[in-house]
Amino acid sequence: MSNPPTSERWDIFCRVIDNFGDIGVCWRFARQLSAEHGIHVRLWLDDLSALKKIWPDACLDDEQHLAGVYVRVWPDAFPLITTDDIPDVVIEAFACDIPDTYVVAMSQRPCPPRWFNLEYLSAEDWTQDYHTLNSMHPQFALNKIFFFPGFRQNTGGLLREKGLLSKRDQLQSHADRRTQALSQWGVHPHENSLIVSLFSYENSALHDLLDSMKQGDRTVLCLIPDGKIRPAVERWLKIDTMHEGEVYRSGQLRFQRLPFLPQDSYDTLLFCCDINFVRGEDSFVRAQWAARPFIWHIYPQEDDVHLEKLDAFLDLYTKRLKDKEKQTIKSIFFAWNQNLGASHLWQEILDLLPIWNEHSHTWCQQLNSQADLVENLVHFSRKPLY
Ligand code: TRH
């Protein structure tokens, strides 16, 4: 499937601000560039432990070759770099500010590299106007281009590697494959149980949600990869620690703790579950490729800016639904993000499930009809400048 190797070289700079989204996005991006476009990718990363968490084969060495990518630690004192060492394309992920000495070397390269700032994902309208805009460097003859991922044609698109959706279909259309996949984590759901994955930030709506799940119409198996939400579930269960491999029961609800999974295994988990609670940026996108109902805990920002972002996404996501369904999905997402009282949330999700399942597929097909982020960026980077 992969293209023949090229002599093209790209550098990606990634700073881990918090959690796993920054490296989650950059790591997928880097792997896909190498695997599908044959590009020599060097990833400069300031926190290797974050990579190790999502990709356990990684080590903490200053340099390593991994999944077709050359990974280098990004130290505080950046190594001396010559113009020969500056590649054809430089990606600054999420405005992470590449080192000054590196920028100087970029400016001295006979043919300056294409320089992109890969932005955070947002469905807001303005991102379409800003997508591929340039900014001239104040001092050097260098141009930085802003590249916005997005859900619409006139944006950069979403990360979607080749073969992802066929992997999903293989798993979702064969019940025995799902059983097999789940059993690798010691998960053996009862027939007719709804399987839910739970990945979110601390969330004060959680207790209401669990109370209503406990008393709901359906048996639920809730799978919790290690993370911020587990202590709150333990408090709700009134236990000290959930142990891996054990099932905890309360009313209609059963819980199982999972380890934090390697990134590709986490995709498998999303494919296996009937409903996915996801967060941030990367798991949010992956849940959409899983084509199952999902509830997004958006990354909270100052002055509630994130709520505008949430609203913009929901407008797009629910565009093809009837008013009532639209409103229900909006109220579910806002209840989860704003603690508006979530006791109604579970029943609303259950009532909407048949329509929501269908909608998840339609939405996924719509997204899949667009080129992916890596393809778009590679294509754009090869366009002549003038
Ligand atoms: O971890 P996140 O909250 O990440 C971020 C950061 O907070 C970042 O600063 C912020 O700007 C951004 O969100 C919007 O959520 P996200 O983006 O979903 O990243 C999680 C990554 O972890 C994703 O690549 C999937 C991966 N993952 C695993 O590999 N294994 C697991 O078991 C789980 C639960 C997740």
mmCIF file of all heavy atoms in Angstrom, residues 16-25 28 53-55 94 120 198-199 201 225-226 228 259-266 269 278-286 297 299 309, ligand 1:
data_model
loop_
_atom_site.group_PDB
_atom_site.id
_atom_site.type_symbol
_atom_site.label_atom_id
_atom_site.label_comp_id
_atom_site.label_asym_id
_atom_site.label_seq_id
_atom_site.Cartn_x
_atom_site.Cartn_y
_atom_site.Cartn_z
ATOM 1 N N VAL A 16 4.655 18.675 24.232
ATOM 2 C CA VAL A 16 3.523 18.114 24.969
ATOM 3 C C VAL A 16 3.091 19.157 25.999
ATOM 4 O O VAL A 16 3.817 19.424 26.956
ATOM 5 C CB VAL A 16 3.929 16.786 25.647
ATOM 6 C CG1 VAL A 16 2.787 16.260 26.500
ATOM 7 C CG2 VAL A 16 4.339 15.770 24.592
ATOM 8 N N ILE A 17 1.947 19.770 25.765
ATOM 9 C CA ILE A 17 1.459 20.789 26.704
ATOM 10 C C ILE A 17 0.889 20.075 27.933
ATOM 11 O O ILE A 17 1.230 20.368 29.059
ATOM 12 C CB ILE A 17 0.355 21.670 26.059
ATOM 13 C CG1 ILE A 17 0.861 22.308 24.769
ATOM 14 C CG2 ILE A 17 -0.175 22.712 27.048
ATOM 15 C CD1 ILE A 17 2.004 23.269 24.923
ATOM 16 N N ASP A 18 0.012 19.152 27.684
ATOM 17 C CA ASP A 18 -0.490 18.291 28.769
ATOM 18 C C ASP A 18 -1.155 17.075 28.103
ATOM 19 O O ASP A 18 -1.367 17.045 26.893
ATOM 20 C CB ASP A 18 -1.488 19.028 29.671
ATOM 21 C CG ASP A 18 -2.674 19.576 28.885
ATOM 22 O OD1 ASP A 18 -2.769 19.310 27.678
ATOM 23 O OD2 ASP A 18 -3.492 20.279 29.479
ATOM 24 N N ASN A 19 -1.435 16.095 28.867
ATOM 25 C CA ASN A 19 -2.147 14.905 28.386
ATOM 26 C C ASN A 19 -1.462 14.282 27.159
ATOM 27 O O ASN A 19 -0.247 14.352 27.024
ATOM 28 C CB ASN A 19 -3.615 15.247 28.076
ATOM 29 C CG ASN A 19 -4.296 15.888 29.268
ATOM 30 O OD1 ASN A 19 -4.059 15.491 30.392
ATOM 31 N ND2 ASN A 19 -5.124 16.871 29.024
ATOM 32 N N PHE A 20 -2.285 13.759 26.244
ATOM 33 C CA PHE A 20 -1.709 12.959 25.155
ATOM 34 C C PHE A 20 -2.117 13.404 23.756
ATOM 35 O O PHE A 20 -1.763 12.758 22.775
ATOM 36 C CB PHE A 20 -2.103 11.486 25.346
ATOM 37 C CG PHE A 20 -1.737 10.990 26.705
ATOM 38 C CD1 PHE A 20 -2.715 10.806 27.680
ATOM 39 C CD2 PHE A 20 -0.417 10.768 27.042
ATOM 40 C CE1 PHE A 20 -2.368 10.400 28.949
ATOM 41 C CE2 PHE A 20 -0.058 10.363 28.309
ATOM 42 C CZ PHE A 20 -1.041 10.178 29.277
ATOM 43 N N GLY A 21 -2.903 14.470 23.672
ATOM 44 C CA GLY A 21 -3.414 14.864 22.362
ATOM 45 C C GLY A 21 -2.342 15.417 21.442
ATOM 46 O O GLY A 21 -2.354 15.149 20.237
ATOM 47 N N ASP A 22 -1.407 16.184 21.997
ATOM 48 C CA ASP A 22 -0.379 16.797 21.141
ATOM 49 C C ASP A 22 0.455 15.702 20.474
ATOM 50 O O ASP A 22 0.619 15.695 19.255
ATOM 51 C CB ASP A 22 0.517 17.724 21.980
ATOM 52 C CG ASP A 22 -0.307 18.712 22.791
ATOM 53 O OD1 ASP A 22 -0.837 19.644 22.191
ATOM 54 O OD2 ASP A 22 -0.440 18.519 24.018
ATOM 55 N N ILE A 23 0.944 14.789 21.296
ATOM 56 C CA ILE A 23 1.748 13.706 20.711
ATOM 57 C C ILE A 23 0.837 12.727 19.959
ATOM 58 O O ILE A 23 1.240 12.170 18.929
ATOM 59 C CB ILE A 23 2.630 12.976 21.765
ATOM 60 C CG1 ILE A 23 3.490 11.889 21.094
ATOM 61 C CG2 ILE A 23 1.810 12.377 22.880
ATOM 62 C CD1 ILE A 23 4.397 12.383 20.003
ATOM 63 N N GLY A 24 -0.378 12.540 20.439
ATOM 64 C CA GLY A 24 -1.308 11.618 19.760
ATOM 65 C C GLY A 24 -1.492 12.007 18.299
ATOM 66 O O GLY A 24 -1.380 11.179 17.393
ATOM 67 N N VAL A 25 -1.723 13.289 18.059
ATOM 68 C CA VAL A 25 -1.918 13.784 16.696
ATOM 69 C C VAL A 25 -0.598 13.702 15.910
ATOM 70 O O VAL A 25 -0.545 13.181 14.795
ATOM 71 C CB VAL A 25 -2.449 15.236 16.715
ATOM 72 C CG1 VAL A 25 -2.403 15.866 15.339
ATOM 73 C CG2 VAL A 25 -3.865 15.269 17.287
ATOM 74 N N ARG A 28 0.508 10.060 14.937
ATOM 75 C CA ARG A 28 -0.253 9.496 13.801
ATOM 76 C C ARG A 28 0.188 10.157 12.500
ATOM 77 O O ARG A 28 0.350 9.509 11.481
ATOM 78 C CB ARG A 28 -1.747 9.808 13.961
ATOM 79 C CG ARG A 28 -2.457 8.904 14.880
ATOM 80 C CD ARG A 28 -3.964 9.113 14.746
ATOM 81 N NE ARG A 28 -4.622 8.751 15.963
ATOM 82 C CZ ARG A 28 -4.773 7.510 16.391
ATOM 83 N NH1 ARG A 28 -4.302 6.510 15.686
ATOM 84 N NH2 ARG A 28 -5.382 7.264 17.528
ATOM 85 N N LYS A 53 3.815 6.285 26.434
ATOM 86 C CA LYS A 53 2.501 5.905 26.974
ATOM 87 C C LYS A 53 1.571 5.425 25.837
ATOM 88 O O LYS A 53 0.883 4.428 25.991
ATOM 89 C CB LYS A 53 1.930 7.143 27.673
ATOM 90 C CG LYS A 53 0.671 6.930 28.404
ATOM 91 C CD LYS A 53 0.879 6.518 29.844
ATOM 92 C CE LYS A 53 -0.500 6.331 30.455
ATOM 93 N NZ LYS A 53 -0.595 6.148 31.818
ATOM 94 N N ILE A 54 1.578 6.127 24.720
ATOM 95 C CA ILE A 54 0.665 5.719 23.634
ATOM 96 C C ILE A 54 1.306 4.715 22.688
ATOM 97 O O ILE A 54 0.631 4.100 21.875
ATOM 98 C CB ILE A 54 0.142 6.933 22.816
ATOM 99 C CG1 ILE A 54 1.293 7.677 22.135
ATOM 100 C CG2 ILE A 54 -0.673 7.873 23.667
ATOM 101 C CD1 ILE A 54 0.819 8.669 21.085
ATOM 102 N N TRP A 55 2.645 4.571 22.780
ATOM 103 C CA TRP A 55 3.374 3.657 21.881
ATOM 104 C C TRP A 55 4.454 2.966 22.711
ATOM 105 O O TRP A 55 5.602 3.401 22.758
ATOM 106 C CB TRP A 55 3.989 4.467 20.723
ATOM 107 C CG TRP A 55 4.313 3.627 19.537
ATOM 108 C CD1 TRP A 55 5.552 3.142 19.185
ATOM 109 C CD2 TRP A 55 3.412 3.147 18.539
ATOM 110 N NE1 TRP A 55 5.457 2.396 18.045
ATOM 111 C CE2 TRP A 55 4.153 2.388 17.624
ATOM 112 C CE3 TRP A 55 2.034 3.277 18.340
ATOM 113 C CZ2 TRP A 55 3.575 1.765 16.511
ATOM 114 C CZ3 TRP A 55 1.461 2.663 17.238
ATOM 115 C CH2 TRP A 55 2.222 1.920 16.337
ATOM 116 N N PHE A 94 0.770 22.890 16.480
ATOM 117 C CA PHE A 94 0.029 23.665 17.477
ATOM 118 C C PHE A 94 0.832 24.867 17.980
ATOM 119 O O PHE A 94 0.940 25.086 19.194
ATOM 120 C CB PHE A 94 -0.384 22.769 18.663
ATOM 121 C CG PHE A 94 -0.992 21.461 18.218
ATOM 122 C CD1 PHE A 94 -0.484 20.241 18.660
ATOM 123 C CD2 PHE A 94 -2.081 21.456 17.369
ATOM 124 C CE1 PHE A 94 -1.048 19.044 18.243
ATOM 125 C CE2 PHE A 94 -2.659 20.256 16.947
ATOM 126 C CZ PHE A 94 -2.133 19.050 17.381
ATOM 127 N N TYR A 120 -4.848 23.446 15.800
ATOM 128 C CA TYR A 120 -5.816 22.582 16.478
ATOM 129 C C TYR A 120 -7.060 22.443 15.611
ATOM 130 O O TYR A 120 -7.395 23.340 14.836
ATOM 131 C CB TYR A 120 -6.220 23.177 17.834
ATOM 132 C CG TYR A 120 -5.151 23.032 18.887
ATOM 133 C CD1 TYR A 120 -4.482 24.141 19.395
ATOM 134 C CD2 TYR A 120 -4.819 21.779 19.388
ATOM 135 C CE1 TYR A 120 -3.499 24.004 20.365
ATOM 136 C CE2 TYR A 120 -3.836 21.635 20.359
ATOM 137 C CZ TYR A 120 -3.181 22.744 20.845
ATOM 138 O OH TYR A 120 -2.218 22.608 21.797
ATOM 139 N N LEU A 198 -15.114 4.743 28.403
ATOM 140 C CA LEU A 198 -15.176 6.024 29.112
ATOM 141 C C LEU A 198 -13.783 6.628 29.210
ATOM 142 O O LEU A 198 -12.913 6.133 29.929
ATOM 143 C CB LEU A 198 -15.759 5.784 30.509
ATOM 144 C CG LEU A 198 -15.988 6.993 31.395
ATOM 145 C CD1 LEU A 198 -16.924 8.000 30.744
ATOM 146 C CD2 LEU A 198 -16.548 6.569 32.752
ATOM 147 N N PHE A 199 -13.560 7.701 28.442
ATOM 148 C CA PHE A 199 -12.286 8.431 28.463
ATOM 149 C C PHE A 199 -12.666 9.904 28.503
ATOM 150 O O PHE A 199 -13.240 10.429 27.547
ATOM 151 C CB PHE A 199 -11.503 8.089 27.193
ATOM 152 C CG PHE A 199 -10.164 8.777 27.063
ATOM 153 C CD1 PHE A 199 -9.249 8.781 28.110
ATOM 154 C CD2 PHE A 199 -9.788 9.405 25.871
ATOM 155 C CE1 PHE A 199 -8.001 9.389 27.974
ATOM 156 C CE2 PHE A 199 -8.547 10.015 25.722
ATOM 157 C CZ PHE A 199 -7.653 10.001 26.782
ATOM 158 N N TYR A 201 -12.027 13.951 30.865
ATOM 159 C CA TYR A 201 -11.381 14.676 31.949
ATOM 160 C C TYR A 201 -12.235 14.485 33.200
ATOM 161 O O TYR A 201 -13.324 13.911 33.132
ATOM 162 C CB TYR A 201 -11.273 16.171 31.598
ATOM 163 C CG TYR A 201 -10.613 16.402 30.256
ATOM 164 C CD1 TYR A 201 -11.335 16.904 29.168
ATOM 165 C CD2 TYR A 201 -9.263 16.105 30.073
ATOM 166 C CE1 TYR A 201 -10.730 17.098 27.936
ATOM 167 C CE2 TYR A 201 -8.659 16.296 28.831
ATOM 168 C CZ TYR A 201 -9.389 16.786 27.771
ATOM 169 O OH TYR A 201 -8.797 16.965 26.560
ATOM 170 N N PRO A 225 -10.262 2.865 30.311
ATOM 171 C CA PRO A 225 -8.798 2.862 30.203
ATOM 172 C C PRO A 225 -8.230 3.799 31.270
ATOM 173 O O PRO A 225 -8.844 4.823 31.579
ATOM 174 C CB PRO A 225 -8.523 3.434 28.807
ATOM 175 C CG PRO A 225 -9.837 3.453 28.106
ATOM 176 C CD PRO A 225 -10.901 3.482 29.143
ATOM 177 N N ASP A 226 -7.090 3.444 31.812
ATOM 178 C CA ASP A 226 -6.519 4.229 32.907
ATOM 179 C C ASP A 226 -6.445 5.710 32.580
ATOM 180 O O ASP A 226 -6.026 6.076 31.494
ATOM 181 C CB ASP A 226 -5.109 3.724 33.198
ATOM 182 C CG ASP A 226 -5.111 3.000 34.513
ATOM 183 O OD1 ASP A 226 -6.125 3.112 35.240
ATOM 184 O OD2 ASP A 226 -4.123 2.330 34.824
ATOM 185 N N LYS A 228 -7.777 10.028 34.014
ATOM 186 C CA LYS A 228 -8.251 10.978 35.021
ATOM 187 C C LYS A 228 -9.602 10.641 35.624
ATOM 188 O O LYS A 228 -9.945 11.119 36.694
ATOM 189 C CB LYS A 228 -8.361 12.366 34.379
ATOM 190 C CG LYS A 228 -7.037 12.909 33.956
ATOM 191 C CD LYS A 228 -7.184 14.279 33.342
ATOM 192 C CE LYS A 228 -5.838 14.741 32.862
ATOM 193 N NZ LYS A 228 -5.371 15.991 33.328
ATOM 194 N N PRO A 259 -5.920 -1.217 31.054
ATOM 195 C CA PRO A 259 -4.696 -0.399 31.070
ATOM 196 C C PRO A 259 -4.839 0.724 30.052
ATOM 197 O O PRO A 259 -5.749 0.677 29.209
ATOM 198 C CB PRO A 259 -3.616 -1.391 30.598
ATOM 199 C CG PRO A 259 -4.359 -2.435 29.839
ATOM 200 C CD PRO A 259 -5.746 -2.509 30.416
ATOM 201 N N PHE A 260 -3.988 1.716 30.103
ATOM 202 C CA PHE A 260 -3.921 2.699 29.024
ATOM 203 C C PHE A 260 -3.365 1.940 27.823
ATOM 204 O O PHE A 260 -2.282 1.369 27.878
ATOM 205 C CB PHE A 260 -3.007 3.857 29.429
ATOM 206 C CG PHE A 260 -3.169 5.054 28.551
ATOM 207 C CD1 PHE A 260 -4.119 6.017 28.844
ATOM 208 C CD2 PHE A 260 -2.377 5.227 27.420
ATOM 209 C CE1 PHE A 260 -4.283 7.136 28.031
ATOM 210 C CE2 PHE A 260 -2.527 6.326 26.604
ATOM 211 C CZ PHE A 260 -3.485 7.285 26.918
ATOM 212 N N LEU A 261 -4.109 1.900 26.731
ATOM 213 C CA LEU A 261 -3.780 0.992 25.632
ATOM 214 C C LEU A 261 -2.823 1.638 24.629
ATOM 215 O O LEU A 261 -2.822 2.874 24.489
ATOM 216 C CB LEU A 261 -5.065 0.619 24.884
ATOM 217 C CG LEU A 261 -6.124 -0.085 25.736
ATOM 218 C CD1 LEU A 261 -7.437 -0.178 24.966
ATOM 219 C CD2 LEU A 261 -5.651 -1.476 26.136
ATOM 220 N N PRO A 262 -2.052 0.832 23.899
ATOM 221 C CA PRO A 262 -1.290 1.400 22.770
ATOM 222 C C PRO A 262 -2.264 2.056 21.786
ATOM 223 O O PRO A 262 -3.411 1.618 21.665
ATOM 224 C CB PRO A 262 -0.618 0.175 22.141
ATOM 225 C CG PRO A 262 -0.628 -0.877 23.211
ATOM 226 C CD PRO A 262 -1.827 -0.607 24.068
ATOM 227 N N GLN A 263 -1.802 3.069 21.094
ATOM 228 C CA GLN A 263 -2.708 3.898 20.289
ATOM 229 C C GLN A 263 -3.570 3.072 19.321
ATOM 230 O O GLN A 263 -4.774 3.298 19.202
ATOM 231 C CB GLN A 263 -1.880 4.927 19.520
ATOM 232 C CG GLN A 263 -2.663 6.149 19.137
ATOM 233 C CD GLN A 263 -1.818 7.202 18.432
ATOM 234 O OE1 GLN A 263 -0.903 6.883 17.673
ATOM 235 N NE2 GLN A 263 -2.119 8.468 18.677
ATOM 236 N N ASP A 264 -2.971 2.099 18.642
ATOM 237 C CA ASP A 264 -3.761 1.321 17.676
ATOM 238 C C ASP A 264 -4.777 0.419 18.381
ATOM 239 O O ASP A 264 -5.861 0.150 17.850
ATOM 240 C CB ASP A 264 -2.842 0.480 16.771
ATOM 241 C CG ASP A 264 -2.057 1.372 15.806
ATOM 242 O OD1 ASP A 264 -2.408 2.569 15.678
ATOM 243 O OD2 ASP A 264 -1.103 0.882 15.186
ATOM 244 N N SER A 265 -4.425 -0.065 19.569
ATOM 245 C CA SER A 265 -5.377 -0.908 20.315
ATOM 246 C C SER A 265 -6.553 -0.070 20.804
ATOM 247 O O SER A 265 -7.674 -0.566 20.924
ATOM 248 C CB SER A 265 -4.713 -1.558 21.528
ATOM 249 O OG SER A 265 -3.575 -2.249 21.150
ATOM 250 N N TYR A 266 -6.279 1.187 21.103
ATOM 251 C CA TYR A 266 -7.380 2.056 21.530
ATOM 252 C C TYR A 266 -8.413 2.204 20.409
ATOM 253 O O TYR A 266 -9.616 2.211 20.650
ATOM 254 C CB TYR A 266 -6.847 3.420 21.989
ATOM 255 C CG TYR A 266 -7.946 4.367 22.432
ATOM 256 C CD1 TYR A 266 -8.772 4.056 23.516
ATOM 257 C CD2 TYR A 266 -8.175 5.560 21.754
ATOM 258 C CE1 TYR A 266 -9.798 4.907 23.900
ATOM 259 C CE2 TYR A 266 -9.196 6.421 22.139
ATOM 260 C CZ TYR A 266 -9.992 6.079 23.213
ATOM 261 O OH TYR A 266 -11.020 6.929 23.592
ATOM 262 N N LEU A 269 -10.572 -0.733 20.559
ATOM 263 C CA LEU A 269 -11.564 -0.596 21.632
ATOM 264 C C LEU A 269 -12.750 0.254 21.170
ATOM 265 O O LEU A 269 -13.913 -0.105 21.395
ATOM 266 C CB LEU A 269 -10.904 0.027 22.874
ATOM 267 C CG LEU A 269 -11.856 0.291 24.040
ATOM 268 C CD1 LEU A 269 -12.319 -1.024 24.675
ATOM 269 C CD2 LEU A 269 -11.210 1.173 25.113
ATOM 270 N N VAL A 278 -15.356 10.230 24.667
ATOM 271 C CA VAL A 278 -13.996 10.598 24.259
ATOM 272 C C VAL A 278 -13.736 12.058 24.618
ATOM 273 O O VAL A 278 -14.647 12.759 25.087
ATOM 274 C CB VAL A 278 -13.804 10.378 22.737
ATOM 275 C CG1 VAL A 278 -13.725 8.901 22.404
ATOM 276 C CG2 VAL A 278 -14.915 11.058 21.931
ATOM 277 N N ARG A 279 -12.505 12.514 24.361
ATOM 278 C CA ARG A 279 -12.165 13.873 24.802
ATOM 279 C C ARG A 279 -11.153 14.509 23.856
ATOM 280 O O ARG A 279 -10.718 13.873 22.887
ATOM 281 C CB ARG A 279 -11.604 13.808 26.225
ATOM 282 C CG ARG A 279 -10.198 13.259 26.279
ATOM 283 C CD ARG A 279 -9.681 13.145 27.704
ATOM 284 N NE ARG A 279 -8.229 13.065 27.702
ATOM 285 C CZ ARG A 279 -7.503 12.678 28.741
ATOM 286 N NH1 ARG A 279 -8.091 12.326 29.871
ATOM 287 N NH2 ARG A 279 -6.187 12.657 28.658
ATOM 288 N N GLY A 280 -10.756 15.755 24.177
ATOM 289 C CA GLY A 280 -9.632 16.408 23.494
ATOM 290 C C GLY A 280 -9.799 16.495 21.992
ATOM 291 O O GLY A 280 -10.813 16.982 21.488
ATOM 292 N N GLU A 281 -8.811 16.005 21.275
ATOM 293 C CA GLU A 281 -8.843 16.126 19.816
ATOM 294 C C GLU A 281 -8.741 14.763 19.125
ATOM 295 O O GLU A 281 -9.559 14.402 18.283
ATOM 296 C CB GLU A 281 -7.693 17.037 19.355
ATOM 297 C CG GLU A 281 -7.620 17.143 17.852
ATOM 298 C CD GLU A 281 -6.853 18.355 17.353
ATOM 299 O OE1 GLU A 281 -6.859 19.417 18.017
ATOM 300 O OE2 GLU A 281 -6.248 18.250 16.278
ATOM 301 N N ASP A 282 -7.735 13.995 19.491
ATOM 302 C CA ASP A 282 -7.480 12.794 18.694
ATOM 303 C C ASP A 282 -8.505 11.682 18.959
ATOM 304 O O ASP A 282 -9.033 11.080 18.016
ATOM 305 C CB ASP A 282 -6.061 12.282 18.975
ATOM 306 C CG ASP A 282 -5.673 11.178 18.015
ATOM 307 O OD1 ASP A 282 -5.779 11.410 16.793
ATOM 308 O OD2 ASP A 282 -5.304 10.090 18.462
ATOM 309 N N SER A 283 -8.822 11.421 20.219
ATOM 310 C CA SER A 283 -9.809 10.350 20.493
ATOM 311 C C SER A 283 -11.181 10.766 19.950
ATOM 312 O O SER A 283 -11.974 9.929 19.514
ATOM 313 C CB SER A 283 -9.884 10.033 21.992
ATOM 314 O OG SER A 283 -10.207 11.178 22.738
ATOM 315 N N PHE A 284 -11.440 12.063 19.966
ATOM 316 C CA PHE A 284 -12.683 12.629 19.422
ATOM 317 C C PHE A 284 -12.806 12.294 17.920
ATOM 318 O O PHE A 284 -13.856 11.851 17.440
ATOM 319 C CB PHE A 284 -12.620 14.137 19.688
ATOM 320 C CG PHE A 284 -13.526 15.021 18.891
ATOM 321 C CD1 PHE A 284 -14.902 14.876 18.948
ATOM 322 C CD2 PHE A 284 -13.003 16.052 18.112
ATOM 323 C CE1 PHE A 284 -15.735 15.736 18.229
ATOM 324 C CE2 PHE A 284 -13.817 16.910 17.393
ATOM 325 C CZ PHE A 284 -15.192 16.739 17.447
ATOM 326 N N VAL A 285 -11.706 12.452 17.193
ATOM 327 C CA VAL A 285 -11.738 12.128 15.755
ATOM 328 C C VAL A 285 -11.850 10.618 15.548
ATOM 329 O O VAL A 285 -12.620 10.138 14.724
ATOM 330 C CB VAL A 285 -10.470 12.676 15.054
ATOM 331 C CG1 VAL A 285 -10.381 12.183 13.620
ATOM 332 C CG2 VAL A 285 -10.477 14.197 15.078
ATOM 333 N N ARG A 286 -11.094 9.887 16.340
ATOM 334 C CA ARG A 286 -11.116 8.422 16.156
ATOM 335 C C ARG A 286 -12.496 7.851 16.428
ATOM 336 O O ARG A 286 -12.915 6.888 15.808
ATOM 337 C CB ARG A 286 -10.075 7.750 17.060
ATOM 338 C CG ARG A 286 -8.679 8.225 16.882
ATOM 339 C CD ARG A 286 -8.191 8.245 15.469
ATOM 340 N NE ARG A 286 -7.644 6.986 15.016
ATOM 341 C CZ ARG A 286 -6.986 6.824 13.859
ATOM 342 N NH1 ARG A 286 -6.794 7.861 13.055
ATOM 343 N NH2 ARG A 286 -6.538 5.645 13.491
ATOM 344 N N HIS A 297 -16.046 15.060 25.478
ATOM 345 C CA HIS A 297 -15.669 16.015 26.521
ATOM 346 C C HIS A 297 -14.589 16.904 25.909
ATOM 347 O O HIS A 297 -13.445 16.487 25.741
ATOM 348 C CB HIS A 297 -15.136 15.270 27.752
ATOM 349 C CG HIS A 297 -15.118 16.127 28.978
ATOM 350 N ND1 HIS A 297 -14.643 15.699 30.188
ATOM 351 C CD2 HIS A 297 -15.533 17.405 29.176
ATOM 352 C CE1 HIS A 297 -14.765 16.677 31.076
ATOM 353 N NE2 HIS A 297 -15.286 17.718 30.484
ATOM 354 N N TYR A 299 -11.830 19.854 25.430
ATOM 355 C CA TYR A 299 -10.769 20.383 26.285
ATOM 356 C C TYR A 299 -11.188 21.765 26.800
ATOM 357 O O TYR A 299 -11.409 22.678 26.005
ATOM 358 C CB TYR A 299 -9.488 20.487 25.456
ATOM 359 C CG TYR A 299 -8.266 20.889 26.226
ATOM 360 C CD1 TYR A 299 -7.624 19.989 27.062
ATOM 361 C CD2 TYR A 299 -7.734 22.170 26.105
ATOM 362 C CE1 TYR A 299 -6.486 20.347 27.763
ATOM 363 C CE2 TYR A 299 -6.588 22.541 26.797
ATOM 364 C CZ TYR A 299 -5.975 21.627 27.625
ATOM 365 O OH TYR A 299 -4.852 21.986 28.318
ATOM 366 N N LYS A 309 -16.737 26.353 20.385
ATOM 367 C CA LYS A 309 -16.157 25.315 19.527
ATOM 368 C C LYS A 309 -17.064 24.080 19.515
ATOM 369 O O LYS A 309 -17.290 23.454 18.478
ATOM 370 C CB LYS A 309 -14.792 24.943 20.118
ATOM 371 C CG LYS A 309 -13.699 24.738 19.152
ATOM 372 C CD LYS A 309 -12.374 24.654 19.900
ATOM 373 C CE LYS A 309 -11.503 23.567 19.288
ATOM 374 N NZ LYS A 309 -10.199 23.447 19.881
HETATM 375 O O1 TRH B 1 -5.232 13.526 26.054
HETATM 376 P P1 TRH B 1 -6.119 14.558 25.496
HETATM 377 O O2 TRH B 1 -6.932 15.288 26.450
HETATM 378 O O3 TRH B 1 -5.236 15.527 24.698
HETATM 379 C C1 TRH B 1 -5.281 16.872 24.384
HETATM 380 C C2 TRH B 1 -4.336 17.661 25.213
HETATM 381 O O4 TRH B 1 -4.951 17.972 26.429
HETATM 382 C C3 TRH B 1 -3.937 18.866 24.463
HETATM 383 O O5 TRH B 1 -3.151 19.730 25.226
HETATM 384 C C4 TRH B 1 -5.150 19.559 23.943
HETATM 385 O O6 TRH B 1 -4.763 20.644 23.250
HETATM 386 C C5 TRH B 1 -5.890 18.598 23.058
HETATM 387 O O7 TRH B 1 -6.299 17.479 23.812
HETATM 388 C C6 TRH B 1 -7.105 19.213 22.414
HETATM 389 O O8 TRH B 1 -7.113 13.882 24.413
HETATM 390 P P2 TRH B 1 -6.880 13.318 22.955
HETATM 391 O O9 TRH B 1 -6.633 14.418 21.997
HETATM 392 O O10 TRH B 1 -7.982 12.433 22.688
HETATM 393 O O11 TRH B 1 -5.551 12.455 23.051
HETATM 394 C C7 TRH B 1 -5.486 11.211 23.679
HETATM 395 C C8 TRH B 1 -4.532 10.308 22.933
HETATM 396 O O12 TRH B 1 -4.305 9.148 23.698
HETATM 397 C C9 TRH B 1 -5.091 9.850 21.600
HETATM 398 O O13 TRH B 1 -4.057 9.796 20.638
HETATM 399 C C10 TRH B 1 -5.566 8.435 21.889
HETATM 400 C C11 TRH B 1 -4.564 8.000 22.910
HETATM 401 N N1 TRH B 1 -4.991 6.913 23.800
HETATM 402 C C12 TRH B 1 -4.256 5.745 23.769
HETATM 403 O O14 TRH B 1 -3.303 5.614 22.988
HETATM 404 N N2 TRH B 1 -4.619 4.737 24.624
HETATM 405 C C13 TRH B 1 -5.675 4.832 25.468
HETATM 406 O O15 TRH B 1 -5.959 3.873 26.226
HETATM 407 C C14 TRH B 1 -6.427 6.049 25.458
HETATM 408 C C15 TRH B 1 -7.607 6.178 26.374
HETATM 409 C C16 TRH B 1 -6.054 7.069 24.624
#
